[in-house]
Amino acid sequence: MAVLTYLEAIRQGLWEEMERDERVFLLGEDIGVYGGAFKVTEGFLEHFGEERVIDTPISEAAIVGAAIGAALLGMRPVAEMQFIDFISCAFDQITNMAAKSRYRWGAGVPIVVRGPCGGGVHGGPFHSQNVEAYFFHTPGLKIVEPATAYDAKGLIKAAIRDEDPVLYFEHKYLYRRIKEEVPEEDYIVPIGKAAIRRPGKDLTIISYGWMLHKSLDAAHQLAAEGIDAEVIDLRTLLPLDDETILSSAAKTGKVLIVHEDTRTGGIAGEIALRITERVFEYLDGPILRVTAPDTPVPYSPPLEEFFLPQVEEIVAAARWLALY
Amino acid sequence: MGILTREQLLEIYYYMKLTRTIEERLTHLYRQGKIVGGLYRSLGQEGESVASAYALEPGDFIAPMIRNLGSLLVRGVKPWEIFTQYMARGTSPTRGKDSVVHFGSVERGIIPPISHLGDLIPVMAGIALASKMKRLRSVALTYIGDGGTSTGVFHEGLNFAAVFKLPLIVVAEDNGYAYSTPKHKQMAIENIADRAIGYGIFGETVDGNDVEAVYAATRRAVERARQGLGPTLLEVKTFRMRGHAEHDDARYVPAELFEHWRQKDPIDRLVRYLRENNLASEDDLAGIDSRIDAEVEHDLRYAEQSPMPDPSIALQDVYYEGVGSFPPSLEREPTYRRT
């Protein structure tokens, strides 16, 4: 097996799906000759041609709208948002046109909208956001966010093969920072299934994306103190894997949710309430969350570092919870 | 006039009159409280809607807007589909999940609108794009009102289609008012078709109440689209002879405007032409009218007898697999045990 970065894994997944199914095509800004702002699609134009790797005008609503139209005619479009922040320009097409189509008139819209999310690279308020909560509230959409290279490849393949609109958020901080062995043969990571990254018995930490890695670092430190944390990687944010979340919560009785997105209205709130609705009597303490504060993402490194959830905060919250 | 045969003109008359008759019945139902939501009529605009759709061929795609009942009828939609849809019956095309003309079928070449104006233009550009990729030679035609051309997505969609020379036709219906807002408060230009130059596409303005002019202009657009010459912005000048919807008494429209446009009614105009040129006798027209009446009465009866939908279908079709696997459930499952 080859060792691939997270970015290479996304790229390989896209490439293999385009080889496998000629209905799959890519559209987005600067994805062709330039190979994409982060070079995810470098070399695709030369291999697949300009009919399947389409450089578009700066028009997120048109990119997603055209993807929807093409999907209705049986194609499998993958639309790139150059930065996921710009997905707001296509909000209407995603939440009203794509998400409701099957429900209204029975026509599926199998599109993938993918793009780099998250902070840690000093991108400032418009190149660092985590936008999942904007879409989490919309029935009909699926949202995935891989944290590992293996999942990055398996989830992009699953997203392309899915019959529903899938938002595929890739964390730009992880692009070239993490790598692992990724199978060369075809595989998918099923949408809707979380993974237990570290089994434990004292408390559960639920996270995804970059924060999964911080949560695992925190669990490692906690283990040295004799606190055995179970760490769940959600992988799919919508629909949530209730089975894994509730089983773990019932098992450990204590839950900490960690996400990079801001706090109010973030998805941690929904997860916490599902746990209290379903397994309240197994809980031995309040459900806690470590998240970014309710501010835009700041630019200057010390400000951004202050904004982003840190390992020490996760450790402190978990320690408090373990002792509760 | 002269490019349409007598048979074609009579068929267009049939669709225009069918549109008006259905909408008259719908108004009656609305007053009886049998329409579940609002009712949006195309009175006065039937000509452009029917004639533009009539210029398409099988295999082409059409996406109507709220006032394009006529286009749908041309594409084979039946009166019962309209009645059940407005009355929210379980037998309606959307099984009661959506209202008005918000229904479609890829197989029939009909893409339904959403209520957000302009959003259909990129979607139909995508249909045109896929048509090109699949070598289908299909043309995609959609509509937008004068007000809808103020949206950003109208621009994004047309520009996108222009750049890729997609076989897209956008019929811009200048009917004077966007709800209550007159056109001069919507844009600082007289002719919407002038916007075409900004996209490098073909633009044309025609009298929307002259069915042959609309048909001819749409045919030209279809030919250009099939030849790979790209999109057309076809503006049709017409008038909305009602308020935005039946609840709207249109008091903001000066009476003389209604009077002016009443003289230009597209159905009366076609009938006059048919008579003056001896293309249709009184019997011919009366025959079509009575056929329409029988068809509409039959379908209306069916709709009125149709059941309302079963509430349980409200949960279906959120996802491909059904919503069943992800229900918001409060059931306490015994599987969650501390180990």
Side-chain angles (χ1 to χ4, degrees), chain B residues 22 69 125 169 312 317:
Chain B
I22 290 172
L69 171 57
I169 301 169
S312 66
D317 302 321

Side-chain angles (χ1 to χ4, degrees), chain B residues 1-207:
Chain B
M1 296 224 181
I3 57 163
L4 286 159
T5 65
R6 173 182 180 274
E7 286 66 34
Q8 287 175 315
L9 287 167
L10 288 180
E11 206 175 0
I12 285 175
Y13 170 77
Y14 163 78
Y15 286 121
M16 289 163 73
K17 197 67 190 287
L18 181 59
T19 307
R20 191 165 290 182
T21 307
I22 290 172
E23 289 188 358
E24 280 165 1
R25 296 294 190 285
L26 285 170
T27 301
H28 191 59
L29 293 168
Y30 181 81
R31 289 181 185 147
Q32 291 177 320
K34 291 180 178 173
I35 300 291
V36 170
L39 169 59
Y40 306 82
R41 292 195 56 179
S42 64
L43 187 66
Q45 299 185 214
E46 298 95 334
E48 48 92 358
S49 190
V50 166
S52 53
Y54 197 79
L56 297 180
E57 289 163 30
D60 290 333
F61 286 83
I62 196 164
M65 287 292 290
I66 194 72
R67 285 179 229 293
N68 298 118
L69 171 57
S71 316
L72 288 175
L73 298 173
V74 172
R75 297 294 289 184
V77 168
K78 298 298 173 198
W80 69 263
E81 297 181 86
I82 305 300
F83 290 128
T84 54
Q85 184 76 1
Y86 267 100
M87 294 164 83
R89 303 298 164 125
T91 50
S92 75
T94 63
R95 300 192 296 160
K97 288 180 173 177
D98 204 346
S99 57
V100 297
V101 295
H102 285 195
F103 64 93
S105 145
V106 174
E107 294 72 31
R108 295 160 82 182
I110 300 167
I111 306 298
I114 65 172
S115 299
H116 299 57
L117 301 177
D119 276 16
L120 268 177
I121 294 173
V123 172
M124 292 306 274
I127 292 275
L129 176 70
S131 157
K132 208 171 157 183
M133 293 168 95
K134 298 174 93 169
R135 316 281 185 262
L136 293 175
R137 292 181 50 77
S138 301
V139 168
L141 182 148
T142 187
Y143 300 87
I144 188 86
D146 43 273
T149 67
S150 300
T151 64
V153 76
F154 167 81
H155 165 75
E156 290 200 24
L158 265 190
N159 184 58
F160 186 97
V163 165
F164 298 111
K165 288 203 178 313
L166 300 177
L168 174 72
I169 301 169
V170 174
V171 178
E173 299 167 316
D174 175 4
N175 67 4
Y177 287 83
Y179 210 139
S180 70
T181 304
K183 200 184 78 183
H184 70 86
K185 287 190 175 172
Q186 200 69 242
M187 63 191 76
I189 53 173
E190 182 55 35
N191 293 322
I192 297 168
D194 290 348
R195 297 199 194 282
I197 199 167
Y199 305 111
I201 64 174
F202 196 87
E204 185 173 355
T205 300
V206 295
D207 178 345

Side-chain angles (χ1 to χ4, degrees), chain A residues 28-282:
Chain A
E29 295 153 15
D30 308 299
I31 65 169
V33 177
Y34 190 67
F38 290 89
K39 304 292 181 192
V40 173
T41 55
E42 192 165 34
F44 279 56
L45 177 67
E46 290 78 2
H47 186 77
F48 295 105
E50 61 183 17
E51 206 173 53
R52 295 183 71 196
V53 184
I54 302 175
D55 269 331
T56 68
I58 301 175
S59 291
E60 281 76 14
I63 292 167
V64 175
I68 292 167
L72 289 171
L73 230 59
M75 303 299 286
R76 293 278 172 162
V78 181
E80 177 177 299
M81 300 288 106
Q82 195 155 74
F83 283 81
I84 208 67
D85 308 66
F86 306 138
I87 199 171
S88 53
C89 301
F91 187 78
D92 205 25
Q93 293 287 355
I94 294 170
T95 58
N96 284 310
M97 188 67 81
K100 295 173 174 64
S101 179
R102 180 182 300 288
Y103 190 76
R104 296 166 60 227
W105 62 294
V109 176
I111 60 168
V112 178
V113 180
R114 51 161 285 270
C117 71
V121 297
H122 320 310
F126 306 111
H127 290 78
S128 308
Q129 293 174 83
N130 293 282
V131 298
E132 52 268 29
Y134 298 157
F135 301 98
F136 186 64
H137 189 60
T138 303
L141 298 179
K142 291 178 179 174
I143 306 174
V144 300
E145 184 168 336
T148 68
Y150 179 93
D151 282 2
K153 180 175 171 184
L155 277 172
I156 192 70
K157 284 166 154 291
I160 289 169
R161 296 179 200 183
D162 202 278
E163 299 294 337
D164 295 308
V166 180
L167 308 183
Y168 180 98
F169 299 152
E170 44 207 55
H171 203 295
K172 68 174 83 67
Y173 187 84
L174 302 179
Y175 269 153
R176 298 171 199 280
R177 283 183 176 83
I178 61 166
K179 53 178 70 174
E180 68 181 318
E181 288 193 336
V182 174
E184 272 138 44
E185 64 266 28
D186 185 42
Y187 70 93
I188 63 154
V189 170
I191 292 175
K193 295 298 290 179
I196 296 172
R197 296 294 181 197
R198 183 190 192 283
K201 60 178 173 37
D202 295 334
L203 72 134
T204 300
I205 303 177
I206 299 171
S207 192
Y208 56 94
W210 180 20
M211 291 303 122
L212 171 78
H213 298 279
K214 292 198 171 187
S215 297
L216 286 167
D217 288 350
H220 185 69
Q221 287 188 31
L222 290 162
E225 299 176 20
I227 299 168
D228 185 18
E230 177 149 300
V231 180
I232 292 176
D233 176 3
L234 288 175
R235 308 197 287 195
T236 296
L237 310 183
L238 189 69
L240 283 168
D241 180 359
D242 283 341
E243 180 65 32
T244 302
I245 294 168
L246 298 174
S247 297
S248 181
K251 183 175 85 171
T252 65
K254 292 178 176 179
V255 179
L256 169 65
I257 305 161
V258 181
H259 64 57
E260 184 182 322
D261 192 10
T262 53
R263 193 174 186 83
T264 302
I267 74 173
E270 173 66 24
I271 295 168
L273 204 60
R274 284 192 192 200
I275 293 168
T276 54
E277 278 177 341
R278 299 280 290 275
V279 294
F280 177 74
E281 50 272 75
Y282 300 108

